[in-house]
Amino acid sequence: MSVHVAILGATGYTGAELIRLISRHPHLSIRRLGAHSQAGKAAGEVLPGLSGDLAAMPLLPADKSLSGDIDMVFTALPHGAAAACVKAALDAGKKVVDLSADFRHQDKDVYAEAYGQPHPHPELLSQAVFGLTEYARDKLKGASLVANPGCYPTATLLPLLPLLKANVVDADNIIVDAKSGASGAGRSAKTDLLYCEANENVRAYGLPRHRHTWEMEEWACTFSGQKAKIRFVPHILPMTRGMLATLHLKGDNVAAWHGILSDQYASEPFVHVLPEGKLPQTSGVCGSNCCHIGISVTGSDEAVVISCLDNLLKGAAGQAVQNTNVMYGWEETLSLDTIACWP
Amino acid sequence: MSVHVAILGATGYTGAELIRLISRHPHLSIRRLGAHSQAGKAAGEVLPGLSGDLAAMPLLPADKSLSGDIDMVFTALPHGAAAACVKAALDAGKKVVDLSADFRHQDKDVYAEAYGQPHPHPELLSQAVFGLTEYARDKLKGASLVANPGCYPTATLLPLLPLLKANVVDADNIIVDAKSGASGAGRSAKTDLLYCEANENVRAYGLPRHRHTWEMEEWACTFSGQKAKIRFVPHILPMTRGMLATLHLKGDNVAAWHGILSDQYASEPFVHVLPEGKLPQTSGVCGSNCCHIGISVTGSDEAVVISCLDNLLKGAAGQAVQNTNVMYGWEETLSLDTIACWP
Amino acid sequence: MSVHVAILGATGYTGAELIRLISRHPHLSIRRLGAHSQAGKAAGEVLPGLSGDLAAMPLLPADKSLSGDIDMVFTALPHGAAAACVKAALDAGKKVVDLSADFRHQDKDVYAEAYGQPHPHPELLSQAVFGLTEYARDKLKGASLVANPGCYPTATLLPLLPLLKANVVDADNIIVDAKSGASGAGRSAKTDLLYCEANENVRAYGLPRHRHTWEMEEWACTFSGQKAKIRFVPHILPMTRGMLATLHLKGDNVAAWHGILSDQYASEPFVHVLPEGKLPQTSGVCGSNCCHIGISVTGSDEAVVISCLDNLLKGAAGQAVQNTNVMYGWEETLSLDTIACWP
Amino acid sequence: MSVHVAILGATGYTGAELIRLISRHPHLSIRRLGAHSQAGKAAGEVLPGLSGDLAAMPLLPADKSLSGDIDMVFTALPHGAAAACVKAALDAGKKVVDLSADFRHQDKDVYAEAYGQPHPHPELLSQAVFGLTEYARDKLKGASLVANPGCYPTATLLPLLPLLKANVVDADNIIVDAKSGASGAGRSAKTDLLYCEANENVRAYGLPRHRHTWEMEEWACTFSGQKAKIRFVPHILPMTRGMLATLHLKGDNVAAWHGILSDQYASEPFVHVLPEGKLPQTSGVCGSNCCHIGISVTGSDEAVVISCLDNLLKGAAGQAVQNTNVMYGWEETLSLDTIACWP
């Protein structure tokens, strides 16, 4: 059995990772590559890592990307633009994993506030499953539309949810100071993303309130039942991949937090809590679909919890494939690595 | 007039910057380079950026570094080791700027707690001037021993002190999430500082309580009169130079904070508060002795204040030269750059 | 069926890649990890990319690494040290893929000249198969000892051999200017490999004659029948992985060279000749086992031929696994990626 | 005395370095900053390294950049566009240092061949002085138009000219394999200059014949009297600054080459020949105006000669200021550093 796949937005960084992962997946087969602005070229002209048949595949405009015998669509498009493609795909009976932000919110008004524009297809919101895999397996099975989470919300919610659920963290006083590799900013030719501007440089951005803050707060509440206030400050670092989220937390019973986190993720293939006193680093996860979590208790009522993931994998394409594996009832780790490509 | 200078610890990264700055200083003249473990070599064998006479200068053992016609000593040595050299230099009537941590604390017990060892020469602590230049000019004039501040305390105190002094910040609830280039970790041959380990990687370290936390809290209190509790988490980034400190603050009257900071530093040559809404980046200060400060008001009682500096310059060698200029009554900017070497 | 594997030198960069590749191989199973200087620790304490059972595996001293039910050994040890382990393994009836330089030469005198020391076990040289896979498949099948080629010889021979065999290149006048990521220098804690020394820096090394020159010249001759004189200059670049070899060549019939190269590698899974006029880049191969080759004809009797590979994969661990697949008669691409992990 | 300066193309990387150097020059004073596409903004909005008065200076369109009391103009504009501004400045009686390629050739036909377009103002070619400072001091004194050399020609000619003049190098057989930091490609927002494409990557470009080849060959001949054939292959590396040129040379009397080079540059402030057997590295020159040269004799009739410089300084803005110092008869090192900003 082979599920025929179209990838829309195939020539961005997330698209490139989708191609890599799906091309080695035993049950998925790439049949269409959509890349509107590059349509007419072969994939290998735009993506340096391809060769052979994949390099020769034509890049298609949006309207040709879904034609024919496609079973499933991955949309790696800008928010706003993704929704129309998602609708077209669903209308044509295809399953969709959407990597944009368009279906990550349950309420169209929250989307409008976070993204500064009305939602293009609010009627579809209710059927979307928010694909933070470890918390969504039941709903993912058989889902037709998966909203793949943002990289920052994934890096924040994985360490935060167990503590919120255990009711040990001060939910009004959560600070997330996040550091991301530059690939999270995408492949647009902007001056501030040039090598010479991003190299040997670090800066915060997205203040006073980055769009992913709404997503974090919404799903922290939905998954834990607790209303959380998150002060979120992202930074861009001089590295291609990798994301580290430093959670400055206050709460009760901090000595128990390591155990709470360890218990939650004890049998997870991709989420690992490091031994007490050991802190994660992004190079320990890049190239894999893993999230590593560490904790340091810094006072009687406070702790620093740190998570790391590869923003293009567990933060995007990897989690999308993980979700696909769950949707179809396949082994969850298919085509995904659990060991970092280190160094 | 020319002040004759010895640099001890000349072959580390801070030592190299001291050589560069002092060699182009109109009133300072390098006469001795001390580098105990490299003694016998010429400076140019160990430091790639030198040429000519400086490259040919011999590296001396500690006991030969202070002999003869030396007026002034810069000690860029590990804490613990610096104190004996400082004492020897003071006893011989030389002025000292010490870049180690040995004289940054007013109380020997605080030093012992922070550094895990008794202070080697507590009798000298009272004569040391803590050289956060902008707050110490009066005491620096004519001082014989200057304790040059740590890079993290400099990056934290410059944005924090005006707010503490204005009594607008919640002093019990200060979080400093700092990001440093790898040069801050020094030039020792350790596996975790290898290129392939530090490149494409970010990690926190120094938890649960980094040594610089004591220094920050002590001088926050001494300079502002307010007791501050600082939760400090440093990270090491894949870049050589640069430090960015993200201060997550709560307090009152946040709309006035930009004005408070701007007023404090309006006439400073090296500390610049960016226009409202603009955030600093480390590439904007590296190579210069500047500290750039930006602020984003994120709520009615909270703000993010961000500072950037070059950890080897305003965070070490640059501030040491700035302090020297003040000690001798010279123009404060001599031999220091105010424009970053960008890109 | 599962072949039980020991990896000696498991905590170096090549060792880490062997662990990653072998752990996902369907027919290989890691049973021992040798790491003499780290013996007693768990693998996860030394290698940040591991988790779960692999992270918990004990690191063994050399004498314990081969005991018990081991079928096959990968030796990723320094030259000189590898030979004794190889001999012990062969004596115990195990198959060996040696990633050191100890068995890459057919003549012990050449080894002695290149490595400045007598060969520890010259009696084994004749049974070693030089594992440049694309040119050694027949001999690899059933081999008990494979000498895995160096990264520079692999990057040089793959583009050079077809031209030498076709007798179109001036064999007395071959210049190879190579550029390597820092991981090629290994994981020793040396000052010149520190992040701050290697970052933002490029330098040549290994002059006047790097050790790999002997290896290149020997196998150029053995495989092509032509005696070649190679002027080889390697450089180390500020990147972790990747190797690019620029071959400055003179010869005849240069217009035909692209066809000669394309024909040679038309059906290879891992060696790809780019379309005429297109030049390869290392980011197009890193993370994969591929070698990309491009050519630019620069005159009537001269051309520049450029090859790229991942020094830790096709230049080391990847080719070792490729050779293993051939030795056992498995599909040659098992556990190896053909698409780069880009960006 | 203060010479009033306009900088055209002030917001590129070379423009930024011109601002830094000129702003600290004792005899030069910046009065106009031209940046056509950014006109209307303040300099500090586009250049992160500025503060104070310089940050507040308005960026002017081309036609306003030369008005008023300007004595001298630096043009850091694209080739083709520079010529008209140069002519306007000369017509208005101002001195010009042009950092574009427009006046680097003595023959308009060579320019047309190298740049693929007719020269806009061939009548001005004869008055331009090619400013490879060490070979042009006599002509520079009192010159009104200086053509500042390209970075690759500077890095190639400095090590090559003494050998050509001594008639010891085989002039028909010169190979220059050059490696440049990404800042050499300028500040245009192009996809292949994005951080994530240039990081962890190396590639050759500009083949089969890069434009600077004409410039190298022309001035090799003009300065040495020998016609040289240069096979030139440039590469772009993952670093911001720095250029290393590896010259693969054949010739006679190679044992004497180190002496020939050392003698030539013995009293130069910015060109240093390293001791025999020592090879230069780019980090040893970046931030300074120096060129370091090393040599390794690799055979009886062959040697590798390697030069390093900072492409934005000795390769561009630094040499422009050096030339200015000579033009006006000032001390040649004014405002230029001789020690690298290392690490």
Side-chain angles (χ1 to χ4, degrees):
Chain A
M1 170 201 170
S2 181
V3 172
H4 292 191
V5 166
I7 301 171
L8 306 196
T11 58
Y13 297 142
T14 300
E17 277 297 64
L18 287 169
I19 293 174
R20 182 174 71 91
L21 296 176
I22 296 174
S23 73
R24 68 184 192 184
H25 196 291
H27 305 319
L28 298 173
S29 170
I30 300 176
R31 297 301 170 104
R32 301 280 184 286
L33 296 177
H36 207 79
S37 66
Q38 308 274 1
K41 293 183 184 168
E45 293 178 66
V46 185
L47 294 172
L50 303 183
S51 54
D53 290 349
L54 273 167
M57 277 189 79
L59 297 172
L60 302 172
D63 58 332
K64 300 253 175 85
S65 304
L66 299 179
S67 61
D69 59 342
I70 298 300
D71 303 307
M72 185 184 176
V73 181
F74 292 85
T75 44
L77 298 167
H79 65 82
C85 294
V86 168
K87 178 165 169 46
L90 290 174
D91 287 350
K94 302 168 198 323
K95 286 178 181 291
V96 178
V97 174
D98 176 36
L99 291 94
S100 86
D102 279 353
F103 296 95
R104 293 179 188 157
H105 292 286
Q106 299 160 96
D107 180 334
K108 67 180 167 45
D109 294 337
V110 175
Y111 177 90
E113 192 182 343
Y115 291 90
Q117 57 192 58
H119 196 286
H121 288 288
E123 73 280 10
L124 300 176
L125 289 177
S126 63
Q127 68 179 282
V129 174
F130 185 74
L132 185 67
T133 324
E134 288 73 15
Y135 293 85
R137 288 186 181 109
D138 286 348
K139 294 197 174 174
L140 285 167
K141 279 172 195 142
S144 54
L145 171 56
V146 173
N148 215 57
C151 47
Y152 288 122
T154 298
T156 298
L157 291 169
L158 287 174
L160 186 60
L161 285 175
L163 302 173
L164 281 176
K165 291 198 304 176
N167 203 19
V168 293
V169 78
D170 179 357
D172 287 333
N173 206 358
I174 296 168
I175 292 177
V176 178
D177 188 297
K179 296 89 179 164
S180 173
S183 59
R187 204 187 184 188
S188 342
K190 295 177 186 162
T191 301
D192 62 357
L193 299 178
L194 289 176
Y195 181 84
C196 296
E197 322 265 325
N199 187 39
E200 291 288 295
N201 192 20
V202 55
R203 60 185 169 91
Y205 71 103
L207 291 177
R209 188 171 166 92
H210 186 279
R211 285 161 169 175
H212 281 181
T213 314
W214 282 269
E215 187 181 333
M216 291 177 196
E217 290 187 343
E218 174 174 339
W219 293 100
C221 182
T222 301
F223 284 130
S224 79
Q226 277 207 68
K227 198 163 163 53
K229 178 179 186 311
I230 299 178
R231 294 162 65 189
F232 171 60
V233 180
H235 301 75
I236 191 163
L237 305 195
M239 59 191 202
T240 298
R241 290 177 184 234
M243 173 169 287
L244 184 142
T246 307
L247 283 65
H248 303 268
L249 302 177
K250 303 204 77 158
D252 305 317
N253 203 9
V254 288
W257 292 14
H258 184 267
I260 292 169
L261 288 163
S262 300
D263 290 350
Q264 173 79 41
Y265 296 119
S267 56
E268 286 294 342
F270 294 120
V271 186
H272 300 287
V273 179
L274 303 190
E276 284 207 70
K278 194 162 174 198
L279 299 176
Q281 50 188 312
T282 56
S283 67
V285 295
C286 283
S288 83
N289 195 49
C290 290
C291 176
H292 285 185
I293 299 172
I295 178 170
S296 176
V297 172
T298 55
S300 60
D301 65 347
E302 62 182 45
V304 177
V305 180
I306 299 178
S307 68
C308 286
L309 50 77
D310 183 328
N311 57 302
L312 295 179
L313 290 170
K314 184 61 178 170
Q319 186 154 253
V321 170
Q322 185 185 3
N323 284 330
T324 304
N325 289 336
V326 177
M327 287 165 77
Y328 282 94
W330 301 324
E331 193 184 346
E332 193 169 318
T333 57
L334 280 182
S335 104
L336 298 169
D337 285 306
T338 54
I339 301 184
C341 188
W342 180 90
Chain B
M1 169 198 170
S2 180
V3 172
H4 292 191
V5 166
I7 301 171
L8 305 195
T11 59
Y13 297 141
T14 300
E17 277 296 65
L18 286 169
I19 293 175
R20 182 174 70 91
L21 296 177
I22 296 172
S23 73
R24 68 183 192 185
H25 195 290
H27 305 317
L28 297 173
S29 170
I30 299 175
R31 295 301 170 105
R32 301 279 186 285
L33 296 178
H36 207 78
S37 65
Q38 309 275 1
K41 294 183 182 167
E45 293 178 66
V46 186
L47 293 173
L50 302 183
S51 54
D53 291 349
L54 273 167
M57 277 190 80
L59 297 173
L60 302 172
D63 59 331
K64 302 253 175 82
S65 305
L66 300 179
S67 62
D69 59 341
I70 298 300
D71 304 307
M72 184 185 177
V73 182
F74 291 85
T75 44
L77 298 166
H79 64 84
C85 294
V86 168
K87 179 169 168 46
L90 290 175
D91 287 351
K94 301 168 197 324
K95 286 180 181 290
V96 179
V97 174
D98 177 35
L99 291 92
S100 86
D102 279 354
F103 296 95
R104 293 179 190 159
H105 293 286
Q106 299 159 95
D107 180 335
K108 69 178 163 49
D109 294 337
V110 175
Y111 177 90
E113 191 183 344
Y115 290 91
Q117 57 191 58
H119 195 285
H121 288 288
E123 73 279 9
L124 299 176
L125 288 176
S126 63
Q127 66 179 282
V129 174
F130 185 74
L132 185 66
T133 324
E134 287 73 14
Y135 292 85
R137 286 186 181 108
D138 286 348
K139 294 195 174 175
L140 285 167
K141 277 171 196 142
S144 56
L145 171 56
V146 173
N148 214 57
C151 47
Y152 288 123
T154 300
T156 299
L157 292 169
L158 287 174
L160 186 60
L161 285 175
L163 302 175
L164 281 175
K165 292 198 302 178
N167 203 19
V168 292
V169 78
D170 178 358
D172 287 333
N173 205 359
I174 296 169
I175 291 177
V176 178
D177 188 297
K179 296 90 180 164
S180 173
S183 60
R187 206 187 181 188
S188 340
K190 296 178 186 161
T191 302
D192 63 356
L193 299 179
L194 289 176
Y195 182 83
C196 296
E197 322 264 326
N199 187 37
E200 291 288 297
N201 193 20
V202 56
R203 60 184 169 89
Y205 71 103
L207 292 179
R209 187 171 166 93
H210 185 278
R211 285 159 169 175
H212 281 180
T213 314
W214 280 271
E215 187 180 334
M216 290 175 198
E217 290 187 344
E218 175 174 337
W219 293 101
C221 182
T222 302
F223 284 130
S224 79
Q226 277 208 68
K227 198 163 163 52
K229 178 179 186 312
I230 299 179
R231 295 161 65 190
F232 170 59
V233 181
H235 301 75
I236 191 162
L237 305 196
M239 59 190 202
T240 296
R241 291 178 183 232
M243 173 168 289
L244 183 143
T246 308
L247 283 66
H248 302 268
L249 302 175
K250 304 203 76 159
D252 306 315
N253 202 9
V254 288
W257 292 14
H258 183 268
I260 292 169
L261 289 163
S262 300
D263 290 350
Q264 173 79 43
Y265 296 119
S267 57
E268 287 294 342
F270 295 121
V271 185
H272 299 288
V273 179
L274 303 190
E276 284 208 71
K278 195 164 174 197
L279 299 176
Q281 50 187 314
T282 56
S283 68
V285 295
C286 282
S288 84
N289 194 50
C290 290
C291 175
H292 286 184
I293 299 172
I295 179 170
S296 176
V297 173
T298 56
S300 60
D301 64 347
E302 61 182 47
V304 177
V305 180
I306 298 177
S307 68
C308 286
L309 50 75
D310 183 328
N311 57 302
L312 295 179
L313 291 169
K314 183 60 178 171
Q319 187 155 249
V321 171
Q322 186 185 1
N323 284 330
T324 304
N325 289 336
V326 178
M327 287 165 77
Y328 283 94
W330 300 325
E331 193 184 347
E332 194 170 317
T333 58
L334 279 183
S335 104
L336 299 168
D337 284 306
T338 53
I339 301 184
C341 188
W342 180 89
Chain C
M1 169 199 171
S2 180
V3 172
H4 292 190
V5 166
I7 301 171
L8 306 196
T11 58
Y13 298 141
T14 300
E17 277 296 66
L18 286 169
I19 293 175
R20 182 174 70 92
L21 296 176
I22 295 172
S23 72
R24 69 183 191 184
H25 196 290
H27 305 318
L28 298 172
S29 170
I30 299 176
R31 297 301 170 105
R32 301 280 186 287
L33 296 178
H36 207 79
S37 66
Q38 309 274 2
K41 294 183 183 167
E45 293 177 65
V46 186
L47 294 173
L50 302 184
S51 53
D53 290 349
L54 273 167
M57 277 190 79
L59 297 173
L60 303 172
D63 59 333
K64 301 253 174 83
S65 305
L66 300 179
S67 62
D69 59 341
I70 298 299
D71 303 308
M72 185 183 176
V73 181
F74 291 85
T75 44
L77 299 166
H79 64 84
C85 293
V86 168
K87 179 168 167 47
L90 290 175
D91 287 350
K94 302 168 197 324
K95 286 179 181 290
V96 178
V97 174
D98 177 35
L99 291 92
S100 87
D102 278 354
F103 296 95
R104 293 180 189 157
H105 292 286
Q106 300 159 93
D107 181 334
K108 68 178 165 49
D109 294 337
V110 175
Y111 177 90
E113 192 183 343
Y115 291 91
Q117 57 190 60
H119 196 285
H121 289 288
E123 73 280 9
L124 298 176
L125 288 176
S126 64
Q127 67 178 282
V129 174
F130 185 75
L132 186 66
T133 324
E134 287 73 14
Y135 293 85
R137 288 188 179 105
D138 286 348
K139 295 197 173 174
L140 285 168
K141 279 172 194 141
S144 56
L145 172 55
V146 173
N148 214 57
C151 47
Y152 288 123
T154 299
T156 298
L157 292 168
L158 287 174
L160 186 59
L161 285 175
L163 302 174
L164 280 175
K165 291 199 302 178
N167 204 19
V168 293
V169 78
D170 179 358
D172 288 333
N173 206 359
I174 296 168
I175 291 177
V176 179
D177 188 297
K179 296 91 180 163
S180 174
S183 60
R187 205 186 182 190
S188 341
K190 295 178 187 162
T191 302
D192 62 356
L193 299 179
L194 289 176
Y195 182 83
C196 295
E197 321 265 326
N199 187 38
E200 290 289 297
N201 193 20
V202 55
R203 60 184 169 90
Y205 71 103
L207 292 178
R209 187 172 166 93
H210 185 279
R211 285 160 168 174
H212 281 181
T213 316
W214 281 270
E215 187 181 333
M216 289 175 198
E217 289 187 345
E218 175 175 336
W219 292 100
C221 182
T222 300
F223 284 131
S224 80
Q226 277 207 68
K227 197 163 163 52
K229 177 177 186 314
I230 299 179
R231 295 162 65 189
F232 171 60
V233 180
H235 301 74
I236 191 163
L237 305 196
M239 59 191 202
T240 297
R241 291 178 183 233
M243 173 168 287
L244 183 142
T246 308
L247 283 66
H248 302 267
L249 302 176
K250 303 204 75 158
D252 306 316
N253 203 11
V254 289
W257 292 14
H258 183 267
I260 292 169
L261 289 162
S262 300
D263 290 350
Q264 174 78 42
Y265 295 118
S267 56
E268 287 294 343
F270 295 120
V271 186
H272 300 287
V273 179
L274 303 190
E276 284 208 70
K278 195 164 174 196
L279 299 176
Q281 50 187 312
T282 57
S283 67
V285 295
C286 283
S288 84
N289 196 48
C290 289
C291 176
H292 286 185
I293 299 173
I295 179 170
S296 175
V297 173
T298 55
S300 60
D301 65 347
E302 62 181 47
V304 177
V305 180
I306 298 177
S307 68
C308 287
L309 50 76
D310 184 328
N311 57 303
L312 294 180
L313 290 170
K314 183 62 178 171
Q319 188 155 250
V321 171
Q322 185 185 2
N323 284 330
T324 304
N325 289 336
V326 178
M327 287 165 77
Y328 283 95
W330 301 324
E331 193 184 345
E332 194 169 317
T333 56
L334 279 181
S335 103
L336 298 168
D337 284 307
T338 53
I339 301 185
C341 188
W342 180 90
Chain D
M1 170 199 168
S2 181
V3 172
H4 292 191
V5 167
I7 301 171
L8 307 196
T11 58
Y13 298 141
T14 300
E17 276 297 65
L18 287 168
I19 292 174
R20 182 174 70 92
L21 297 176
I22 295 173
S23 72
R24 67 184 192 184
H25 195 291
H27 305 318
L28 298 173
S29 170
I30 299 176
R31 297 301 170 106
R32 301 279 184 287
L33 297 178
H36 207 77
S37 66
Q38 309 274 2
K41 294 182 183 167
E45 293 178 66
V46 186
L47 294 172
L50 303 183
S51 54
D53 290 350
L54 273 167
M57 277 189 78
L59 298 173
L60 303 171
D63 58 332
K64 301 252 175 85
S65 305
L66 301 179
S67 61
D69 60 340
I70 298 300
D71 303 307
M72 185 183 176
V73 181
F74 292 85
T75 44
L77 298 166
H79 64 83
C85 294
V86 169
K87 178 165 168 48
L90 291 174
D91 287 351
K94 301 166 198 323
K95 286 180 182 288
V96 179
V97 174
D98 176 35
L99 291 93
S100 86
D102 279 353
F103 297 94
R104 293 178 189 158
H105 293 285
Q106 298 158 97
D107 181 334
K108 69 180 165 48
D109 295 336
V110 175
Y111 177 90
E113 193 183 343
Y115 291 91
Q117 56 193 58
H119 195 286
H121 289 288
E123 74 279 8
L124 299 176
L125 288 176
S126 63
Q127 68 180 282
V129 175
F130 185 75
L132 185 66
T133 324
E134 287 73 13
Y135 293 86
R137 287 184 180 108
D138 286 348
K139 294 198 173 172
L140 285 167
K141 278 171 195 142
S144 55
L145 170 57
V146 174
N148 214 58
C151 46
Y152 288 123
T154 298
T156 298
L157 292 168
L158 287 174
L160 186 59
L161 284 175
L163 302 174
L164 281 175
K165 291 197 304 177
N167 203 19
V168 293
V169 77
D170 179 356
D172 287 333
N173 206 358
I174 296 167
I175 291 177
V176 178
D177 189 296
K179 295 89 179 163
S180 174
S183 60
R187 204 187 183 188
S188 344
K190 294 178 186 163
T191 302
D192 63 356
L193 299 179
L194 289 176
Y195 182 83
C196 295
E197 323 264 326
N199 187 38
E200 290 289 295
N201 192 22
V202 55
R203 60 185 169 89
Y205 71 103
L207 292 178
R209 188 171 166 94
H210 185 278
R211 285 160 170 175
H212 282 181
T213 315
W214 281 270
E215 187 180 333
M216 290 177 197
E217 290 187 345
E218 175 174 338
W219 293 101
C221 183
T222 301
F223 284 130
S224 80
Q226 278 207 68
K227 197 163 163 53
K229 178 179 185 315
I230 299 178
R231 294 161 65 190
F232 170 61
V233 180
H235 301 74
I236 191 162
L237 304 196
M239 58 192 203
T240 297
R241 289 178 184 233
M243 173 168 288
L244 183 142
T246 308
L247 282 66
H248 303 268
L249 302 176
K250 305 204 75 158
D252 306 316
N253 203 11
V254 288
W257 291 14
H258 184 267
I260 292 169
L261 289 163
S262 300
D263 290 351
Q264 173 78 44
Y265 296 118
S267 56
E268 286 294 342
F270 295 121
V271 186
H272 300 287
V273 179
L274 303 190
E276 284 208 71
K278 193 161 176 199
L279 299 177
Q281 50 188 311
T282 56
S283 67
V285 295
C286 283
S288 84
N289 195 49
C290 289
C291 175
H292 286 184
I293 298 173
I295 178 170
S296 176
V297 173
T298 56
S300 61
D301 65 345
E302 62 182 46
V304 177
V305 180
I306 298 177
S307 68
C308 287
L309 51 76
D310 183 328
N311 56 302
L312 295 180
L313 290 170
K314 184 61 179 170
Q319 186 154 252
V321 170
Q322 186 185 2
N323 284 330
T324 304
N325 289 336
V326 178
M327 288 165 76
Y328 283 94
W330 301 324
E331 193 183 346
E332 194 170 317
T333 57
L334 279 182
S335 102
L336 298 169
D337 285 307
T338 55
I339 301 184
C341 189
W342 179 91

